[in-house]
Amino acid sequence: MLLPDRLFTVALIRRTIWLWIGARLMVGMFGLLAGIPIIPTRPGTVIPIILVVASLGGLEIHRRREFLFFANLGVAPAAVLLLGVVTASLLELMLVAANSVLR
Amino acid sequence: MNTELRADSIGKRYGATRVLTSASLVAHQGAITALVGRNGAGKSTLLKICAGWISADHGTITYRGRTYMRPRLHDLAREGLCFLPAEQPLLSPSFALGEQLQAIARQRHNSALEEIIERFRLGTLLGQAPSALSGGERRRASFAVAELIGPQCLLADEPMRDLAPLDAELISTSLRSLRAKGCAIVVTGHEMNSLFDLADEVVWVTAGTTHHLGGAAAACENWQFRREFLGTVAPTTWA
């Protein structure tokens, strides 16, 4: 599967990282208010976070009208969305690892 | 002439409105096809379907010998097709123009970046985001991208709309240059002088279907085309 040039790939990864931080902060704030763990790492929480982050990334690409730009370069929308899923998954994996070490 | 792109029996409906019933289009290698018709006739829709940007209700697209029921732009782009839409900029608003041109040149191994920047007079605009550019500048930048990509087939929707004469001339020169390299080109628009000057073939979109009128001179001699599309501005210079 063809990926965009490194300039665009790095920017898409950076964008996903910010979205993931935002999503995790929201979950943390909700956890704080509800009196539940602020860094939940159960699959029931992790998978929806990954999906929400990837979806928001997709919406942002759509809002910036970048799908056409990438398509003209031969990059499929699925490849761009998958980049978001992989990035968010890696970040979740790192968080789970960090959480288990700190416990 | 080799056929690069062929659309057959294309139909498209938007809700209750049937835009295309049975349209066809052929783009030949090293030729410019002008797709003309009244506003709302379905020119842009046909072009988007040919590019794989939207899907047709029925019909097939054959690109470089391969027939697609539902083509996708990214698949066709990998085979050398480039689509320049009318209503949205081709470039990403997230990066400076220069960065994007460099990235595309790097990905396409195109060493003509400097020459293309100079030819499209983009030198002073490289640090700006595409969203900060004027319509004409954006159109020039889009054609610079198209030349960097080096397409086998270019589909350009209204490339000369609302352009200053000098910018329109730059776009015309670019289209001629791509044609000389063997690119199959389809352009739409209402700028009859510029389009007929460029066109090797004219296709008229009307009543949901297409009429292949031949060259610009033959098109001007078609009485129905003159009566129903050109009207009183029917040019005589190409006839």
Side-chain angles (χ1 to χ4, degrees), chain A residues 1-9 11-12 14-15 63-79, chain B residues 53 73-75 77-78 81-85 87-95 99-100 102-104 106-108 145 149:
Chain A
M1 194 177 278
L2 189 67
L3 278 175
D5 178 82
R6 63 174 182 264
L7 171 78
F8 309 118
T9 303
L12 288 170
R14 198 182 302 138
R15 208 182 284 168
R63 191 183 70 79
R64 295 179 191 229
R65 296 174 161 192
E66 288 175 331
F67 279 122
L68 177 78
F69 173 64
F70 290 129
N72 259 314
L73 298 176
V75 180
Chain B
W53 190 235
L73 177 56
H74 60 269
D75 288 327
R78 281 182 210 155
L81 185 136
C82 181
F83 173 51
L84 303 183
E87 73 275 15
Q88 72 178 89
L90 179 62
L91 291 153
S92 163
S94 316
F95 312 93
E99 284 181 313
Q100 298 190 57
Q102 274 177 356
I104 296 164
R106 187 166 54 227
Q107 196 180 27
R108 296 285 162 156
V145 170
I149 289 173

Side-chain angles (χ1 to χ4, degrees), chain A residues 75-86:
Chain A
V75 180
V80 179
L81 295 174
L82 196 65
L83 194 65
V85 171
V86 170

